[in-house]
Amino acid sequence: MSDLLDKKLLFITGKGGVGKTSVATGLAYLASNSGKKTLICEVDPKGDLARSFECARTPYNGVEINENLKAMSMDTETSLREYLRLQLKVPVIGRIGPLAKAFEFVSTAAPGVREILTVGKFLYEVKNNSYDLIIVDASPTGHIVSQLAAPQALRELVKLGPVKSQTEWMIDILGDPNKTGAIIVTTTEEMPVNETIELSKKIESETNVHLSAVIINQVLPELFSSDEEAAFLTLSSEENMKTMTEMLSASPETVMEAARLAVTLRRMRSEFLEKLRDNIDSNIPQIYLPYRFNKLTGLKSVKATAAALADEIN
Amino acid sequence: MAKPSKHKPKSNLLENLLPTKEVIIACGPGGVGKTTSAAATALTIALNFDKSVLVLTIDPAKRLANALGLNGIGNKEIEISDETFKESKLKPKGKLSVAMLDTKESWDALIKRHAKDQATVDHILSNPLYKNITSKFVQSHEYIAMERLYDLHSSKDYDIIVVDTPPTRNALDFLDAPDKMADFFSSRLLKWLIAPYKSKLISLASKPFYQIADKVLGNQFLQDIAEFFIAFQSMYDGFVQRAESVKKLLSDTRTSFLVVSTLEQVPALEARFFVDELQKRSLNLDAVILNKVLPEHFRSKYETEIARNIQEQAKILSETLSKSSRNDSYGADTYEKVFLEIASSFLNFQKVAQQEAALESEFADLVSISTKVPFHSEPINDLNALEELGKQIWMQN
């Protein structure tokens, strides 16, 4: 699984609220610490990256987090300008306000235009070999497929011109499993698991990108081995309860009840772990990240996730 | 500690809300149990009040659809049959219907309503760009959900409609969707963009755009888009008027908002922001539902102390129990592991419960109704489980 970080471009997706950003920042931190020149980008500029890395903001041009790590946010207007200048040799001076608006307007209608400005930026950086690894905190499950499939969609739509020829090398990079991979993040709950299974099928059928891993976040620990669980059951006998209550000078009933809840919670969720195992191609690694009882924020959280990922990946 | 007196009857919080309300909108961050809370609320109303209730869901989990006794919920409303209620030994005072929002079908219906003739309908529905536009442009999903709500409300077929809101990047998007839709159709940009194709004369202002766009996309493609928008623009008046009406319904006193959240950091802060925003806009926020909260005892200092004692005395406890005369007892080693697990599990969850308590205080005294629903250890598989959830939300001591 360590080859995950040997790729050039990783798209991290998943249902909203499952911890996409946390996994993306953790992976980026891990990669940069192992000496890889890494770029992390958030596609929805909500400020999640800035919060995670405890910096004021993450502009389009990037901000240095540490020696090997840069963070940026996507901005389709700037990306358009860059695209026109670098790819089409059309210099655009000053603000392109109305032009960008019109372009945005058109791009809503045309499948792939807005998406290609996003995905194209990353692919361009891969082509130029600017980084060892680019990690994309990508769109949620509902939108990622249209982004990954954008170059293909555009190739079919645009009959000729420079855009068409550019879709070719983009499609090549996206389809190369050594270079590009998608990672779906999920928790062990019904909806995220269902969406993960659906998305894994869609990625396979509607894009040429390879699914590199499924990362299962917030996995609750197994409390007891089967032997321990049987022993736990004997504790509830009247006689044992009486002994314990005397020794502790208080009834342990509520604390034991809490353990029962922990067991039930874990059991309810293991049903979804099984569902993932049954429905995701067994060649695709499934990585488990343990539930964190100590809530951490900012860099501390990033470092903890990176450490947990390191345990699982290496 | 004083326990709530037993003889005081439980009261249904919905009693205060229902007489004046016709629409209940459940909103909040994704993954907090919004859809299930909306369904449980609708069921509670149907069971306890003589009202005809509709729950309009956006994306129900299979489990929930099954719980409602429906294999496939569709765009069309389905009434839950007497038999289904009977099977669950429930006797509703009112009626309960369910519908799911199908974005594509709802858009088609909207086009059919506003287009001036069948030719325009055909022209739009057959345009290859149509599907793409309706699924992507200006919060199309959010808009169509509110539009459908308006449509159902105007039909007067139901006394109360409970609706859950689509998962969005920003929980507020659906509030702005009608405005954005109206803006979109009245925008100068739209006129500017399609003008050259109407008049064959490119204005000076739009010339650079067309030069670049042609270079990038090719002329034919732009023309396809323009043609599509010209057809779409003929529906301008209908659309804008409709968007206005939808907006009015949202701010009507007959409409009530519920904010649903869990007490996890990210969702709770998002929900808190949403509460402020609803109040800023003078919308009728009537209740906050805090879902999947850990049981109260995890916050108890007394119980925490007991857990610590178990941890400290694990060795001696297990030695004593293993010597018990009972024939089913286990070895001291096994018991010790069990005690340490029990204690550390309690102390772990206790930390989580403390964070929950801190986040809960953020919601204190914001709205008249604030309810906490414990983590249900059983999944919602049938109507009875949903009824139970409804009680937990709405029945208070």
Side-chain angles (χ1 to χ4, degrees), chain A residues 58-278:
Chain A
T58 53
Y60 183 81
N61 290 329
V63 56
E64 204 160 280
I65 304 299
N66 65 36
E67 198 187 338
N68 280 324
L69 180 58
K70 248 183 160 186
M72 67 167 281
S73 303
M74 183 43 68
D75 168 13
T76 37
E77 182 179 328
T78 316
S79 177
L80 170 62
R81 188 200 297 263
E82 197 176 78
Y83 175 75
L84 292 174
R85 184 168 51 84
L86 294 175
Q87 308 278 327
L88 303 177
K89 316 289 179 215
V90 182
V92 185
I93 303 150
R95 278 190 64 81
I96 48 172
L99 180 62
K101 260 192 192 159
F103 204 90
E104 189 176 323
F105 189 82
V106 172
S107 67
T108 336
V113 173
R114 188 197 302 267
E115 287 80 2
I116 206 133
L117 288 176
T118 302
V119 177
K121 161 76 178 167
F122 307 129
L123 293 169
Y124 179 73
E125 300 293 352
V126 171
K127 191 179 171 220
N128 278 7
N129 228 341
S130 330
Y131 297 91
D132 295 323
L133 175 62
I134 299 173
I135 290 179
V136 184
D137 184 359
S139 303
T141 39
H143 301 283
I144 184 76
V145 167
S146 56
Q147 275 177 11
L148 296 181
Q152 284 160 304
L154 208 63
R155 180 173 63 180
E156 278 155 40
L157 208 77
V158 182
K159 299 287 179 279
L160 37 94
V163 169
K164 187 171 176 68
S165 59
Q166 273 162 14
T167 56
E168 301 297 339
W169 62 260
M170 289 189 180
I171 291 168
D172 286 346
I173 294 177
L174 281 173
D176 182 348
N178 294 320
K179 285 189 177 148
T180 306
I183 293 177
I184 311 178
V185 184
T186 182
T187 55
T188 46
E189 286 167 297
E190 187 182 7
M191 294 302 271
V193 164
N194 289 349
E195 284 191 17
T196 299
I197 293 166
E198 253 170 58
L199 180 62
S200 73
K201 289 178 184 146
K202 270 194 177 170
I203 287 179
E204 198 186 327
S205 64
E206 293 175 29
T207 80
N208 65 342
V209 177
H210 292 254
L211 181 60
S212 304
V214 171
I215 296 187
I216 302 139
N217 201 8
Q218 300 170 14
V219 178
L220 282 171
E222 185 92 74
L223 211 53
F224 301 127
S225 66
S226 58
D227 207 29
E228 287 161 11
E229 184 156 4
F232 174 64
L233 290 177
T234 69
L235 291 182
S236 323
S237 75
E238 203 178 317
E239 188 192 327
N240 283 343
M241 283 300 284
K242 202 168 153 239
T243 313
M244 289 186 288
T245 306
E246 274 166 18
M247 291 178 72
L248 294 163
S249 329
S251 166
E253 179 49 36
T254 305
V255 177
M256 284 170 60
E257 184 56 44
R260 269 175 227 125
L261 176 73
V263 170
T264 319
L265 284 180
R266 158 85 197 189
R267 195 149 297 157
M268 268 172 76
R269 287 155 180 239
S270 62
E271 172 193 339
F272 298 118
L273 286 177
E274 271 162 41
K275 197 168 175 189
L276 279 175
R277 248 173 254 138
D278 294 346

Side-chain angles (χ1 to χ4, degrees), chain B residues 203-271:
Chain B
S203 77
L204 211 58
S206 57
K207 202 170 178 187
F209 168 74
Y210 279 99
Q211 278 172 343
I212 293 176
D214 272 5
K215 187 163 185 191
V216 177
L217 298 166
N219 187 281
Q220 184 55 43
F221 177 62
L222 265 186
Q223 191 161 343
D224 284 350
I225 294 176
E227 261 171 30
F228 175 75
F229 279 121
I230 289 167
F232 225 68
Q233 212 196 16
S234 68
M235 304 186 298
Y236 171 78
D237 289 335
F239 254 95
V240 172
Q241 220 171 36
R242 189 77 168 182
E244 278 302 312
S245 311
V246 172
K247 200 180 145 198
K248 266 198 197 111
L249 175 64
L250 292 182
S251 54
D252 198 292
T253 51
R254 291 168 297 176
T255 299
S256 175
F257 286 87
L258 313 177
V259 170
V260 186
S261 180
T262 59
L263 288 174
E264 296 159 287
Q265 188 110 21
V266 176
L269 294 181
E270 203 176 313

